Amino acid sequence: MSKRVLLLGESWVSSATHYKGFDQFGSVTFHLGAEPLVKALENTEFELTYMAAHEVVEKLPFDMEGLKAYDAIILSDIGANSLLLPPAVWMHSKPMPNRLKLLRQWTAEGGGLMMIGGYFSFQGIDGKARWRNTPVEDALPVTCLPYDDRLEIPEGFSAKITAPQDHPILNGITGQWPLLLGANEVLLKEGAEVLATLPDDEGGHPLLVSGTYGEGRSLVWTSDIGPHWVPGEFIQWPGYDQLWKNCLSWLTRLEDA
């Protein structure tokens, strides 16, 4: 039985200005950041819909019926404003449903919600992701900080595993994990289960945390899906594919299906 997964975010547009002596010209490029995850889920039990950040603004459902088409929803590197300010609100001052409240309700009614780290996850760069004190934060097993929460670790760190190896989310992942280059700092909520952390000499901050909200499950991975915080060696490591499959199996209760 396949499980339907919606990935929100993990895309961006870059604008550059090129100077050549007296002259200059501009260029714009579009980037997708979730290709490693998309590849990891190919030919699995998970039917992935990848909604780029600019599409989320208008295409993410505005009602529970639309959200309930999915068994799991992943927020990755996309700020709260992209869900709060569709054009109807931002440009035309028209009241619209609050999709942060809908995601909280969807989780409480049995959905599987996950947030993955990045520059616009949790509180994010310069605090601009703005997930702190939102209904989505209510459903997560962690609390966001009120300021820029990035942990930039250019020399790299290896995850410290704090849960038994036979835990469903860690099952089949053995040996030392390859280096990661950063994460978002978060605070644990009471009752959260910590599966992995940064090493003690890097503060022991949460890396992989699970929890429940109402009838649903929630999960956070405070590092990224791919570069720059996730080097190629981590992506090529067999544990990378297994980690995402395990996370989604747990979130969607695939083992109970």
Side-chain angles (χ1 to χ4, degrees):
M1 177 181 178
S2 64
K3 295 291 185 175
R4 294 159 296 179
V5 179
L6 177 62
L7 172 62
L8 306 176
E10 277 301 332
S11 73
W12 64 98
V13 176
S14 298
S15 175
T17 302
H18 308 261
Y19 298 93
K20 298 196 174 186
F22 181 88
D23 299 300
Q24 69 177 45
F25 68 94
S27 66
V28 177
T29 51
F30 176 68
H31 309 268
L32 293 172
E35 292 95 333
L37 174 59
V38 172
K39 184 178 180 181
L41 298 180
E42 288 178 352
N43 302 314
T44 68
E45 302 93 336
F46 303 105
E47 180 185 335
L48 179 67
T49 299
Y50 182 7
M51 194 177 290
H54 66 282
E55 296 176 312
V56 170
V57 178
E58 293 191 83
K59 290 186 177 181
L60 179 66
F62 287 87
D63 55 42
M64 284 297 294
E65 182 181 359
L67 292 180
K68 285 189 173 181
Y70 302 99
D71 301 292
I73 296 177
I74 302 171
L75 295 160
S76 184
D77 218 347
I78 184 168
N81 281 332
S82 292
L83 284 71
L84 290 169
L85 297 172
V89 175
W90 176 242
M91 300 177 68
H92 305 295
S93 299
K94 178 182 177 182
M96 294 290 288
N98 187 328
R99 289 178 288 183
L100 305 192
K101 292 180 179 179
L102 286 172
L103 282 170
R104 178 177 62 187
Q105 180 185 349
W106 171 84
T107 307
E109 293 182 7
L113 181 67
M114 184 173 189
M115 183 173 285
I116 294 173
Y119 272 30
F120 271 86
S121 297
F122 302 101
Q123 201 66 355
I125 187 168
D126 300 332
K128 291 179 177 178
R130 297 187 65 252
W131 288 107
R132 178 178 167 84
N133 290 336
T134 66
V136 165
E137 185 192 54
D138 292 343
L140 297 176
V142 299
T143 299
C144 303
L145 299 178
Y147 43 77
D148 190 322
D149 59 8
R150 290 171 301 139
L151 298 166
E152 300 286 1
I153 306 174
E155 70 276 26
F157 70 89
S158 184
K160 177 182 177 182
I161 307 305
T162 56
Q165 199 65 53
D166 61 353
H167 188 285
I169 296 176
L170 300 174
N171 190 37
I173 305 174
T174 59
Q176 185 172 9
W177 293 28
L179 295 181
L180 297 163
L181 302 182
N184 297 87
E185 182 180 351
V186 295
L187 301 175
L188 294 171
K189 289 182 181 177
E190 186 176 353
E193 183 179 20
V194 183
L195 309 177
T197 68
L198 278 68
D200 294 341
D201 61 0
E202 294 293 348
H205 301 290
L207 177 65
L208 182 61
V209 183
S210 66
T212 59
Y213 185 74
E215 298 298 319
R217 292 180 173 182
S218 59
L219 192 62
V220 300
W221 166 256
T222 62
S223 194
D224 212 335
I225 284 177
H228 80 276
W229 280 348
V230 179
E233 291 80 6
F234 194 100
I235 294 169
Q236 294 159 12
W237 171 55
Y240 177 88
D241 289 8
Q242 191 64 50
L243 175 63
W244 299 120
K245 293 172 188 175
N246 288 355
C247 285
L248 290 172
S249 294
W250 182 82
L251 273 179
T252 63
R253 295 177 168 86
L254 184 65
E255 69 277 8
D256 300 334

